[in-house]
């Protein structure tokens, strides 16, 4: 009797378990590993087949994005997919449609992507959204479609899905630093390609620093003739003693023609290049070219661009001629970069020379200012007014808060979130870039196993957990947080491979922190998607740091 009952219970349990596992198998139709995770994705039944018969349909306005889709698929298809008119009957089509009505719910970067057995439809209110829809579509295909070389003449199967997606933040940035090590045009383009694939939309280029000036300015030719070249470069870490140098001249700069080319290359991938021209500090390369702009021109006649890292005390003397110099440079910069935001640095400006100079001290008194901090604030304000009059906005590192923030300024908060919080509370816009979570020049694993880096420790898991909105601000103030940016400072990064190694996979985690809904974040699931995603990086030839089990443990 008891035995019989036991058997019945057991059989019942087995049936229940098999029903449950069956239904969960249905529910868990393998979900494509999309990075960054879309807001909403429903996986359906069946597949769409991309073949030589597939046509691409786009109206006049979405045309450019259709061409980019066709271009992207050339290596995988081995030929260019043909275009068709909307009315044409085809063997299945990929349609790109601009639908202004979607702006209300999805903004201009959001999109819907429907993959049905007989068609694929991407819709967005903006060209950027179509572009991002295409990026997601590529991730629905096997990883090898990301290869730029391989040519396969096969049909590709796309799983049926229904995706609705839009970014959480509008500023999803990365910074590169050609000032410390020059980055040739081709390598910048390569970096932009990888960014676009991950839906980043801002590339800050740190174009000037103590160690080199990297942009042609017609009015001041010596900036690149002298300021773009240093005699040699430090080998090893700045803190290692004695210091050793490589004895090799290093330098380079972008001509204005090259800058235009980069700006349009980036724009075609919906990336805005934000130029950064450092002032009043990090100014040694400028003073090497034009000693009259320094605080002590007589003493600074033989100055040369710095050959090691750190912060030089050579600072702009904010005489009328110095302020004018900055405005002249920015005039040429604005003509080259359509970016609404112009970054003027403003960080780490050592005030030693201003303190030592009777002339600057007199200037401070005459302007009725209290100290050197207020002089810097006064100077930044001149630049703020100048940029605003031209319809642009000044953005600077959080030191621009000291001595009073210029009225139109946007703050990039790097020394923690504090600067960002102060600025947001005061009603200023903010881009978060704290050293704690966004300094990709820091180590990402055990030092003894990693290539030389500046220091610190920023593992993948920590990047993934980054939350740009500080708890300390209200929802209203949070609207001032435009987004965040990760920095690849270049002191210890001198090749494209190393730059990619420092950027990936951390940038995969970072883009998800900026794009995907806050509540959807799940590190375990992210790393499991990442194991598939890195195959795309491999196919695309991106030199990333291999995933390790520690990535999961170091949470
Ligand atoms: C601080 S972040 C800097 C850079 C350095 C970086 C190295 C900032 C505004 N200034 O000049 O390259 O640290 O991590």
């Amino acid at each position: 009797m008891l035995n019989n009952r036991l058997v019945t219970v057991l059989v019942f349990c087995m049936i229940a378990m098999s029903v449950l596992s069956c239904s969960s198998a249905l529910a868990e139709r393998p979900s494509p590993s999309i990075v960054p995770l879309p807001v909403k994705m429903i996986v359906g039944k069946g597949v769409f087949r991309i073949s030589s018969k597939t046509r691409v349909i786009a109206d006049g306005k979405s045309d450019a994005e259709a061409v980019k889709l066709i271009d992207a698929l050339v290596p995988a298809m081995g030929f260019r997919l043909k275009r068709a008119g909307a009315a044409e009957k085809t063997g299945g089509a990929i349609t790109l449609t601009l639908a202004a009505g979607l702006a209300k719910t999805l903004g201009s970067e959001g999109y819907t992507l429907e993959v049905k057995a007989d068609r694929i439809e991407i819709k967005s209110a903006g060209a950027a959204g179509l572009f991002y829809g295409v990026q997601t579509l590529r991730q629905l295909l096997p990883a090898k479609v990301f290869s730029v070389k391989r040519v396969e003449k096969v049909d590709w199967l796309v799983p049926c899905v229904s995706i609705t997606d839009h970014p959480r933040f509008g500023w999803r940035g990365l910074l590169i630093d050609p000032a410390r090590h020059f980055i040739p045009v081709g390598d910048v383009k390569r970096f932009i390609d990888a960014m676009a694939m991950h839906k980043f939309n801002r590339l800050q280029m740190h174009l000037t620093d103590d160690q080199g000036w990297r942009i042609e300015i017609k009015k001041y030719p010596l900036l690149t003739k002298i300021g773009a070249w240093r005699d040699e470069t430090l080998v090893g870490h700045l803190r290692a003693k004695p210091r050793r140098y490589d004895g090799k001249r290093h330098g380079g700069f972008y001509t204005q023609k090259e800058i235009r080319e980069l700006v349009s290359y980036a724009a075609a991938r919906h990336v805005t290049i934000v130029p950064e021209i450092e002032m009043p500090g990090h100014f040694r390369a400028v003073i090497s070219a034009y000693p009259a702009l320094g605080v002590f021109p007589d003493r600074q006649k033989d100055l040369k661009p710095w050959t090691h890292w750190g912060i030089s005390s050579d600072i702009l003397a904010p005489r009328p001629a110095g302020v004018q110099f900055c405005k002249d440079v920015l005039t040429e910069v604005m003509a080259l970069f359509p970016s609404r935001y112009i970054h003027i640095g403003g960080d780490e400006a050592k005030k030693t020379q201003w303190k030592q100079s009777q002339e600057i001290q007199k200037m401070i008194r005459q302007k009725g200012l209290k100290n050197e901090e207020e002089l810097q604030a006064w100077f930044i304000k001149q630049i703020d007014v100048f940029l605003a009059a031209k319809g642009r906005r000044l953005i600077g590192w959080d030191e621009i808060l000291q001595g009073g923030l210029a009225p139109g300024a946007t703050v990039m908060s790097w020394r923690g979130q504090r600067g960002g919080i102060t600025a947001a509370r005061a009603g200023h816009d903010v881009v978060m870039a704290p050293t704690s979570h966004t300094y990709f020049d820091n180590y990402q694993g055990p030092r003894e196993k990693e290539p030389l880096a500046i220091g610190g420790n920023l593992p993948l898991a920590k990047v993934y957990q980054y939350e740009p909105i500080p708890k300390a601000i209200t929802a209203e103030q949070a609207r001032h947080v435009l987004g965040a940016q990760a920095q690849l400072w270049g002191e210890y990064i001198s090749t494209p491979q190393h730059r990619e190694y420092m950027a990936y996979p951390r940038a995969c985690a970072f883009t998800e922190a900026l794009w995907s809904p806050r509540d959807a974040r799940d590190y375990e699931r992210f790393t499991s998607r990442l194991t598939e995603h890195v195959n795309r990086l491999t196919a695309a030839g991106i030199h990333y740091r291999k995933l390790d089990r520690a990535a999961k443990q170091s949470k």
Side-chain angles (χ1 to χ4, degrees):
M1 179 66 179
L2 192 74
N3 263 355
N4 264 355
R5 215 181 265 171
L6 198 64
V7 168
T8 319
V9 170
L10 271 176
V11 168
F12 178 80
C13 279
M14 281 164 72
I15 292 172
M17 275 167 66
S18 74
V19 167
L20 273 178
S21 69
C22 239
S23 62
S24 72
L26 272 184
E28 278 175 23
R29 204 170 284 128
S31 195
S33 298
I34 311 293
V35 176
L37 187 72
V39 172
K40 198 170 150 210
M41 171 163 65
I42 299 164
V43 184
K45 263 195 245 159
V47 291
F48 176 91
R49 181 180 293 269
I50 302 184
S51 71
S52 57
K53 294 200 196 88
T54 307
R55 296 291 177 263
V56 177
I57 299 176
D59 60 16
K61 286 186 197 138
S62 51
D63 209 69
E65 300 309 322
V67 173
K68 287 175 215 168
L69 165 67
I70 294 169
D71 286 346
L73 287 175
V74 168
M77 305 299 298
F79 57 85
R80 300 184 69 80
L81 284 174
K82 295 213 178 70
R83 307 284 305 267
E88 222 167 301
K89 198 108 192 91
T90 70
I94 306 174
T95 307
L96 272 56
T97 312
L98 274 175
L102 287 175
K104 264 190 259 109
T105 45
L106 300 179
S108 62
E109 293 185 306
Y111 64 92
T112 60
L113 166 60
E114 296 287 339
V115 181
K116 303 255 164 63
D118 62 342
R119 64 183 185 278
I120 295 179
E121 282 176 354
I122 302 175
K123 289 186 185 152
S124 172
L130 293 179
F131 183 79
Y132 294 138
V134 167
Q135 299 316 308
T136 302
L137 173 60
R138 292 176 76 198
Q139 294 196 11
L140 292 173
L141 290 158
K144 39 183 165 177
V145 302
F146 282 86
S147 167
V148 282
K149 289 184 208 117
R150 182 183 213 124
V151 175
E152 301 234 353
K153 294 198 178 179
V154 292
D155 294 356
W156 296 99
L157 301 182
V158 191
C160 289
V161 289
S162 173
I163 293 175
T164 304
D165 199 13
H166 61 90
R168 185 171 163 217
F169 291 101
W171 187 302
R172 304 180 302 279
L174 295 179
L175 173 148
I176 52 172
D177 178 10
R180 268 55 176 267
H181 282 103
F182 182 61
I183 308 174
V185 171
D187 294 343
V188 179
K189 287 184 177 171
R190 196 184 143 91
F191 192 81
I192 292 170
D193 286 340
M195 283 179 78
M197 166 181 169
H198 290 88
K199 303 187 174 94
F200 284 102
N201 66 356
R202 294 283 184 284
L203 173 63
Q204 181 168 335
M205 290 183 74
H206 185 72
L207 289 166
T208 72
D209 214 304
D210 295 320
Q211 297 84 2
W213 181 280
R214 305 286 176 229
I215 173 171
E216 178 190 20
I217 299 295
K218 305 262 191 206
K219 192 160 184 183
Y220 299 99
L222 299 184
L223 285 173
T224 42
K225 190 158 185 241
I226 294 172
W229 305 95
R230 60 175 181 256
D231 291 340
E232 55 186 359
T233 303
L234 181 77
V235 177
H237 201 278
L238 179 67
R239 281 196 299 272
K241 295 279 152 47
R243 285 190 184 151
R244 280 198 304 119
Y245 293 84
D246 65 2
K248 283 188 235 149
R249 189 169 137 92
H250 177 91
F253 63 91
Y254 308 108
T255 63
Q256 295 206 346
K257 187 164 167 268
E258 286 170 329
I259 292 279
R260 282 199 189 88
E261 183 187 326
L262 279 176
V263 165
S264 74
Y265 188 89
R269 287 148 188 83
H270 298 280
V271 172
T272 302
I273 301 187
V274 179
E276 180 186 359
I277 308 291
E278 278 272 17
M279 56 189 78
H282 290 267
F283 223 63
R284 189 181 171 104
V286 178
I287 299 172
S288 308
Y290 295 99
L293 297 171
V295 177
F296 304 111
D298 292 342
R299 269 203 257 154
Q300 293 172 302
K301 270 207 295 285
D302 300 321
L303 217 61
K304 286 177 163 187
W306 240 12
T307 52
H308 60 268
W309 321 123
I311 315 159
S312 147
S313 332
D314 297 297
I315 183 170
L316 169 78
R319 305 176 190 106
V323 177
Q324 191 55 45
F325 166 84
C326 293
K327 291 181 180 174
D328 289 344
V329 167
L330 290 173
T331 299
E332 294 193 31
V333 166
M334 282 187 282
L336 294 168
F337 295 92
S339 168
R340 182 162 179 243
Y341 292 89
I342 304 289
H343 205 298
I344 54 80
D347 60 307
E348 301 177 323
K350 281 195 194 167
K351 309 293 186 317
T352 338
Q353 295 183 346
W354 284 1
K355 285 199 177 107
Q356 289 165 347
S357 156
Q358 288 181 1
E359 180 198 358
I360 304 289
Q361 290 303 313
K362 196 167 150 210
M363 199 185 279
I364 291 175
R365 284 193 301 275
Q366 280 174 347
K367 293 189 192 306
L369 303 170
K370 273 213 272 317
N371 52 28
E372 296 76 26
E373 303 305 332
E374 287 199 358
L375 181 60
Q376 167 153 341
W378 170 87
F379 165 74
I380 300 287
K381 197 167 164 204
Q382 308 300 302
I383 304 299
D384 178 47
V385 170
F386 175 73
L387 292 175
K390 310 272 189 257
R392 307 298 181 101
R393 299 204 58 174
L394 179 147
I395 183 164
W397 300 108
D398 55 48
E399 284 92 334
I400 65 170
L401 280 157
Q402 290 159 9
L405 191 55
T410 296
V411 171
M412 200 167 258
S413 187
W414 73 281
R415 297 172 303 172
Q417 313 248 61
R418 214 168 353 106
I421 293 171
T422 311
R425 283 185 178 151
H428 286 260
D429 286 348
V430 172
V431 174
M432 291 295 186
T435 44
S436 59
H437 291 78
T438 70
Y439 271 44
F440 286 7
D441 59 343
N442 282 212
Y443 283 100
Q444 51 187 325
R447 284 184 191 206
E448 58 289 359
K449 292 192 188 142
E450 291 294 313
L452 180 70
I454 194 162
N457 177 35
L458 180 54
L460 181 68
K462 189 168 178 192
V463 176
Y464 191 73
Q465 303 305 346
Y466 180 55
E467 172 48 43
I469 306 281
K471 290 203 182 78
I473 58 175
T474 64
E476 180 60 29
Q477 291 159 350
R479 298 228 307 264
H480 288 294
V481 179
L482 305 179
Q485 183 171 287
Q487 282 52 243
L488 287 145
W489 293 110
E491 290 95 327
Y492 300 93
I493 303 176
S494 59
T495 66
Q497 286 76 21
H498 191 193
R499 193 171 307 107
E500 286 171 5
Y501 177 89
M502 297 306 273
Y504 295 93
R506 288 186 290 191
C508 308
F510 194 56
T511 187
E512 194 148 310
L514 297 179
W515 180 284
S516 310
R518 187 179 179 165
D519 297 343
R521 249 185 280 173
D522 179 321
Y523 188 64
E524 295 294 329
R525 290 196 183 157
F526 166 70
T527 47
S528 115
R529 273 182 288 120
L530 197 56
T531 50
E532 173 62 24
H533 185 71
V534 292
N535 296 330
R536 299 174 189 133
L537 302 183
T538 305
I542 297 168
H543 187 79
Y544 62 94
R545 180 183 188 271
K546 298 278 173 293
L547 304 180
D548 53 12
R549 264 181 260 131
K552 287 190 178 180
Q553 288 155 9
S554 57
K555 254 198 287 185

